[in-house]
Amino acid sequence: MGGPVGRSSTPGERTRSRVRGADQLGRDESPHEGGGPGDDGDGPGGREASGGGRRAAKDRRGHKAGARGRSSRRAPKSAKRRVLRWSASVLAVLILGTGGAGYLYYEHLNGNIKKEDLTLGDKQMADHKANAAGQTPLNILLIGSDARDSKANQKLGGAKDTFGARPLADVQMLLHISADRSNLSVISMPRDTMLKMPKCTAPDGEVFPASTVDVQTNESLGRGGPGCTVATWYELTGIRIDHFMMIDFAGVVSMADAIGGVPVCVDANINSRGRDGKGSGLKLEKGTTYVKGVQALQWLRTRYGFEDNTDLGRAKAQHQYMNAMVRQLRKGTKLSDPAKLMNLAEAATDALTVDNGLDTVKRLYDLAEEFKKVPTKRITMSTMPNVYGTGTNNGRVYPKAGDAEQLFRMVRDDIPLDGKASKRKKPEATKDPSAPVGEIAVAVRNGTATDTLGPASGRASDVADQLKDAGFAKTTVDPGDVTGTARTAILYPSADLEGDAQAVAKALGVPLSQVKKSTDVSGISLAVGADWREDGTYPVSKGKEKTPESAGALNGDDEKACMKVNPNYTW
């Protein structure tokens, strides 16, 4: 998805432009309230955005921006295509020039881009399995940082007592582009999801040990940078992440300004500011409004005022915004003006922090081209299925057993979340034949423990018996290791044992995508995961391909989507 931009300016002017209107957020920033990150407030990690909101944007004729009339004459589709092709050519000339001023500007844009390591975890991510055409999917983790590390971010974010604190990952969305580029799936993880963090080693050498207790997921960013957020996602989902893109408060403002506004909808007047001071300051009239600048940031941060005033409502609002932004970009209304294209390149590169695999304008441009291949009607937004915690973690959420893993599995196996057929091909069996099943040694362990439940009794023995019944006479039970794993996995140490490991998977009905090479084992090891706590065959062996209703799927073409306003925050 290409990024929007504002006017061309010097770095100093851009900074002033980003904070222009920040006073709309107010100056009485609320402090970070007790109980841990994310307790209260619309800012990341519970940090409160301050002050009152702006009224709905109006155009210079005095009309609400979303209510502008349409011309009765439309350009032929062929003409529109010519304009878009011309626009792409202009952009290529502007930012990919090979000589003179073009080259210097290209290098300038490259210098804008901030880079960090892709992953800071110890585990090597598994490779993608190619489809029949040799294509592989792309997974990009989008991270919204709440860092108060600049004057612009401090003014926009408020919460003075958090200035200089470790940043939190306010927004976390995994964008999955299918191998055949026919569809795109998005999974949002609520920032107050509780899970265990993996060990992360920061670029400066600081080591953050793996957590032994549940930690709020937005804290991953402060454990060395976005690479730890990537490692945390991989630990939970098993989904290979190819790239990350991170943006902060000021970046959101500049990008929203650049696109010229994004249409969002509320089903009632909203004023996200309660008597206790909680809220983002967002103030909109019922219906559709084009938001940009500070108002766009308020929309993305609003928690108090949407639905049940939790992070789940905020995630839905973010989905609506992203879908609308994609539709705006697809219209190409900002791509026929060379100056606006230059502004687009300037703001997008200046706003982003990316991994080293996206460290040039050319690579970002190529990634945007991959996004453009997916029609909006095949974009599906979802939220990780979750349940509320209890006791000290009341108000926080946990992945919902079964449903969350089903969603992760669909992405791992490149299954469209919209339920439509794809030209995908499931992972193929290795060409190396397996040994006779009676000669394959398999160690089975019970990994069914979860954050809230102990290991299910006897599961390793039950699965071992299934293997023995299938002829795997050398199957044994590992009674010592009961470390929990979210999904059942079959690990093998070297390529010569891949065929044997896949034979084990086929005997049990476990998807081949869950057969992984690992240096953590010396032989074939089967971990019975939390997705197989019950007796019987493996629960997804028949390939369920339906997106769980608890994921709240939203289609990218749904222009009628409207956020439900909490009655306590209306006017």
Side-chain angles (χ1 to χ4, degrees), residues 59-398:
D59 65 19
R60 57 188 174 188
R61 291 184 294 275
H63 297 295
K64 196 175 178 183
R68 296 170 181 160
R70 296 182 179 179
S71 170
S72 60
R73 298 181 62 188
R74 295 184 179 181
K77 289 185 178 180
S78 59
K80 290 182 179 179
R81 285 195 292 267
R82 286 197 297 272
V83 168
L84 290 177
R85 286 197 297 269
W86 175 84
S87 300
S89 299
V90 170
L91 183 60
V93 170
L94 288 173
I95 65 177
L96 301 179
T98 57
Y103 175 77
L104 293 177
Y105 186 59
Y106 175 67
E107 288 302 300
H108 161 72
L109 292 177
N110 284 341
N112 283 347
I113 304 170
K114 298 172 284 294
K115 284 85 67 175
E116 294 202 29
D117 294 339
L118 174 62
T119 179
L120 302 178
D122 285 350
K123 290 187 177 179
Q124 182 176 354
M125 289 188 282
D127 291 333
H128 291 299
K129 294 286 186 179
N131 64 11
Q135 303 163 308
T136 55
L138 268 173
N139 295 322
I140 300 96
L141 187 63
L142 181 63
I143 304 169
S145 166
D146 81 336
R148 272 76 166 176
D149 55 357
S150 68
K151 289 183 178 180
N153 283 329
Q154 289 169 359
K155 199 162 189 177
L156 290 166
K160 292 181 179 179
D161 62 327
T162 65
F163 289 5
R166 292 187 188 275
L168 299 172
D170 185 30
V171 177
Q172 298 177 41
M173 293 184 181
L174 181 67
L175 283 59
H176 170 83
I177 309 176
S178 67
D180 63 5
R181 305 303 188 255
S182 69
N183 64 90
L184 185 150
S185 302
V186 178
I187 301 177
S188 285
M189 186 186 297
R191 65 168 191 180
D192 52 3
T193 300
M194 302 300 291
L195 41 73
K196 289 183 172 60
M197 297 279 177
K199 175 184 174 183
C200 289
T201 303
D204 63 3
E206 183 177 2
V207 176
F208 296 85
S211 64
T212 57
V213 297
D214 292 330
V215 179
Q216 195 162 297
T217 185
N218 63 351
E219 294 185 27
S220 60
L221 187 57
R223 292 165 56 86
C228 193
T229 305
V230 168
T232 300
W233 268 80
Y234 185 68
E235 183 84 8
L236 176 66
T237 68
I239 298 170
R240 175 183 176 84
I241 296 174
D242 301 289
H243 302 292
F244 72 76
M245 303 175 73
M246 185 171 71
I247 189 169
D248 58 16
F249 295 154
V252 169
V253 170
S254 66
M255 299 274 275
D257 281 340
I259 200 173
V262 173
V264 295
C265 177
V266 288
D267 69 353
N269 294 346
I270 182 174
N271 184 9
S272 179
R273 177 65 65 201
R275 293 179 180 178
D276 55 4
K278 294 177 180 177
S280 68
L282 179 71
K283 191 172 184 180
L284 298 176
E285 295 176 0
K286 177 181 178 180
T288 299
T289 303
Y290 278 68
V291 297
K292 60 180 179 178
V294 174
Q295 202 172 43
L297 178 63
Q298 290 173 333
W299 176 274
L300 293 170
R301 300 182 72 199
T302 294
R303 168 180 175 180
Y304 293 99
F306 287 150
E307 301 197 346
D308 60 353
N309 295 332
T310 69
D311 199 51
L312 303 181
R314 170 164 39 198
K316 290 183 182 179
Q318 292 167 352
H319 292 166
Q320 186 186 132
Y321 181 93
M322 286 189 65
N323 278 340
M325 183 177 70
V326 170
R327 291 194 298 268
Q328 285 295 101
L329 289 170
R330 292 288 174 87
K331 290 178 181 177
T333 54
K334 294 291 179 181
L335 300 180
S336 58
D337 185 330
K340 290 178 180 178
L341 279 172
M342 291 180 69
N343 289 340
L344 175 61
E346 189 75 44
T349 55
D350 196 46
L352 294 173
T353 299
V354 299
D355 66 276
N356 293 318
L358 293 176
D359 61 350
T360 66
V361 171
K362 176 64 167 60
R363 289 176 173 177
L364 287 172
Y365 182 80
D366 289 345
L367 179 61
E369 288 296 294
E370 296 303 305
F371 276 104
K372 284 170 60 179
K373 295 175 183 178
V374 180
T376 54
K377 65 182 179 181
R378 296 298 311 278
I379 296 174
T380 306
M381 301 277 177
S382 69
T383 301
M384 180 196 75
N386 56 81
V387 294
Y388 283 110
T390 58
T392 57
N393 288 324
N394 184 31
R396 307 294 195 270
V397 300
Y398 288 86

Side-chain angles (χ1 to χ4, degrees), residues 6-85:
R7 64 183 180 85
S8 180
S9 59
T10 66
E13 289 172 333
R14 289 197 302 274
T15 300
R16 288 193 294 274
S17 174
R18 287 175 185 157
V19 300
R20 187 175 61 246
D23 289 338
Q24 303 286 348
L25 292 174
R27 298 187 179 277
D28 55 336
E29 298 90 343
S30 301
H32 181 0
E33 311 216 346
D39 281 351
D40 295 294
D42 291 325
R47 302 170 183 176
E48 204 59 35
S50 319
R54 303 190 301 181
R55 295 189 179 275
K58 295 186 177 181
D59 65 19
R60 57 188 174 188
R61 291 184 294 275
H63 297 295
K64 196 175 178 183
R68 296 170 181 160
R70 296 182 179 179
S71 170
S72 60
R73 298 181 62 188
R74 295 184 179 181
K77 289 185 178 180
S78 59
K80 290 182 179 179
R81 285 195 292 267
R82 286 197 297 272
V83 168
L84 290 177
R85 286 197 297 269

Side-chain angles (χ1 to χ4, degrees), residues 452-475:
T452 56
L453 300 171
S457 178
R459 293 302 298 129
S461 297
D462 291 343
V463 174
D465 287 343
Q466 288 188 36
L467 282 174
K468 290 176 181 177
D469 290 343
F472 291 82
K474 293 187 176 182
T475 300

